[in-house]
Amino acid sequence: MSQSPLPFSRPSIDEATIAAVGEVLRSGWITSGPKVQAFEAALSALLGNRIVRTYNSGTCTMEIALRIAGIGPGDEVITTPISWVATANVIIEVGATPVFADIDPVTRNIDLDKLEAAITPRTRAIIPVYLAGMPVDMDRLYAIAGKHGLRVVEDAAQALGSSWKGKPIGSFGDFVSFSFQANKNITTSEGGCLVVNDADEAKLAEKFRLQGVVRSGLDGIDVDVLGGKFNMTDIAAAIGLGQLPHLDAITARRRALARHYFACFGDDFEETTGAQLPVRDFQNTNWHLFQIVLPERITRAEFMAKMLEHQIACGYHYAPIHLFTLYRERGFKEGMFPVAERVGRQIVTLPMFFALTENDVERTVGAVKSVLQQ
Ligand SMILES: *Cc1c(COP(=O)(O)O)cnc(C)c1O
């Protein structure tokens, strides 16, 4: 009997969405057009009527936010070492200097005390990441930014559907970037969006999206900034429009699955195994990921291999960015961010997606317990 292992993430695309994509393909207009405009309007309605522009990734959105803020050579930008490498790469991409601050061992997000300690006269912006969908203390974050005159580019790639004190992430704050990559809670296969603050920023957000072009009249065209090729297609936007109405149900389902994980692990799991569960938060986080930190007596590779014997394919999010060759070449090394290094070595992602069943959760927890108690 061959059975493919349970994945840690899987998109759910309904038949109506598949049909809508077919309609776009038949319409004669398959690049950015009416579906992109409709998707931007729907996102804006979801995010407190702020201005939202869509892109072909949740990486270029952050790069463009930094460019809109005028950040470049000589400027420092502070972020976390535990994120997808995109978060730090965009800082290098605009010619600025990435600065890391260690993470909080409980939330696994950037430690705001260490972030504040890393601020220098050259610091221009901070990029907080909401790992697994859990926001940082947003009041404290914006108090720090305000006090030091810093821009904030929120890497909310994983946090669509998350909130802070009842307000959706993205409905307040400075720049907010979301990703619609295939594993995210809402997908367009690949894609992203950026929330900006005003009409001037929106104009720049559009220019940077498409070669810096500004059109006027029937044949007027000018280019006054260096933009790239980052526009979303109507095919992708049609997928997003099909997904977005399900956001509340998706978030509710993930929260219910997270509760089931905790119930199955039980109260003594951490004590008996030395593993660490995530924060039990059912108000703010959208439970994009359900991650545990393994005890040091087992390597993550050993754990993942043994879970595969139980037909469960775990993931890991993330390896510490500062230890990648590109970053070592810029002077980063082991020992600089000890919490991130330990968590980055031992963190593992268990299955969590809309179509996951209670039985899948029970099977996963049973496998984790048997692997860790061996
Ligand atoms: C997915 C993700 C990104 C990048 O998004 P893409 O759409 O793949 O470019 C950036 N940061 C975090 C934290 C992510 O999870």
Side-chain angles (χ1 to χ4, degrees):
M1 186 189 85
S2 89
Q3 167 201 11
S4 53
L6 181 66
F8 72 84
S9 176
R10 178 193 290 154
S12 287
I13 311 280
D14 62 20
E15 288 302 320
T17 304
I18 294 169
V21 168
E23 272 172 46
V24 171
L25 291 174
R26 278 187 284 267
S27 74
W29 193 280
I30 59 175
T31 184
S32 310
K35 297 289 181 192
V36 162
Q37 282 185 5
F39 189 38
E40 289 178 348
L43 287 164
S44 173
L46 181 74
L47 303 175
N49 295 313
R50 294 187 70 197
I51 304 172
V52 184
R53 292 294 177 267
T54 55
Y55 296 85
N56 58 16
S57 78
T59 299
C60 68
T61 44
M62 295 189 282
E63 179 186 326
I64 287 170
L66 293 172
R67 290 195 195 282
I68 294 171
I71 290 163
D75 298 331
E76 293 176 358
V77 179
I78 304 173
T79 191
T80 168
I82 296 295
S83 182
W84 179 229
V85 66
T87 313
N89 280 354
V90 295
I91 302 169
I92 299 178
E93 195 67 52
V94 301
T97 303
V99 172
F100 295 104
D102 208 349
I103 61 168
D104 176 311
V106 175
T107 66
R108 306 155 187 173
N109 280 330
I110 195 165
D111 179 327
L112 294 179
D113 289 328
K114 291 178 180 155
L115 183 159
E116 192 163 19
I119 294 170
T120 76
R122 287 150 67 112
T123 307
R124 294 279 315 282
I126 48 192
I127 309 185
V129 175
Y130 311 143
L131 190 68
M134 187 154 81
V136 299
D137 178 335
M138 301 299 286
D139 298 331
R140 176 94 202 284
L141 171 75
Y142 277 99
I144 293 170
K147 180 172 153 199
H148 297 274
L150 305 177
R151 297 303 301 262
V152 180
V153 179
E154 298 182 30
D155 183 350
Q158 305 186 353
L160 195 71
S162 297
S163 55
W164 177 252
K165 295 187 173 166
K167 290 178 295 186
I169 292 298
S171 69
F172 63 99
D174 194 354
F175 295 110
V176 188
S177 164
F178 293 100
S179 168
F180 305 120
Q181 184 267 344
N183 287 344
K184 303 295 170 14
N185 290 24
I186 292 287
T187 187
T188 59
S189 81
E190 296 286 357
C193 74
L194 181 67
V195 185
V196 300
N197 297 288
D198 56 38
D200 288 341
E201 287 185 0
K203 203 176 283 176
L204 276 172
E206 289 167 15
K207 285 192 202 179
F208 284 122
R209 178 165 66 180
L210 199 61
Q211 314 293 1
V213 162
V214 187
R215 295 183 184 278
S216 56
L218 269 186
D219 67 347
I221 179 166
D222 192 24
V223 174
D224 61 355
V225 299
L226 183 61
K229 171 67 180 177
F230 300 123
N231 56 303
M232 178 178 274
T233 68
D234 265 21
I235 301 167
I239 303 173
L241 282 166
Q243 294 260 290
L244 211 50
H246 302 298
L247 179 62
D248 288 347
I250 288 169
T251 305
R253 177 67 185 147
R254 285 170 174 269
R255 284 178 179 161
L257 288 165
R259 280 187 194 278
H260 197 52
Y261 262 116
F262 286 115
C264 293
F265 277 119
D267 289 336
D268 63 352
F269 172 76
E270 292 181 306
E271 208 180 319
T272 56
T273 62
Q276 184 203 26
L277 294 173
V279 177
R280 285 171 171 73
D281 174 309
F282 301 100
Q283 295 297 316
N284 293 324
T285 181
N286 64 3
W287 286 102
H288 171 61
L289 302 171
F290 193 100
Q291 298 172 291
I292 65 172
V293 178
L294 301 170
E296 296 280 354
R297 62 190 154 77
I298 187 166
T299 68
R300 180 169 57 207
E302 269 178 85
F303 177 86
M304 290 173 76
K306 286 186 174 156
M307 289 296 284
L308 267 179
E309 290 170 12
H310 291 267
Q311 294 297 316
I312 295 163
C314 299
Y316 65 95
H317 303 83
Y318 290 98
I321 296 171
H322 69 286
L323 299 182
F324 291 143
T325 301
L326 179 71
Y327 289 83
R328 286 177 186 271
E329 285 168 0
R330 305 175 75 91
F332 295 104
K333 52 182 189 285
E334 267 102 359
M336 285 181 149
F337 309 105
V339 183
E341 288 164 26
R342 178 180 61 79
V343 170
R345 196 168 54 240
Q346 297 300 91
I347 198 165
V348 64
T349 302
L350 304 181
M352 173 58 90
F353 50 88
F354 181 69
L356 194 73
T357 67
E358 271 74 9
N359 182 57
D360 293 330
V361 170
E362 288 150 26
R363 192 158 75 76
T364 301
V365 172
V368 170
K369 285 182 175 173
S370 98
V371 170
L372 289 184
Q373 278 152 18
Q374 265 167 14

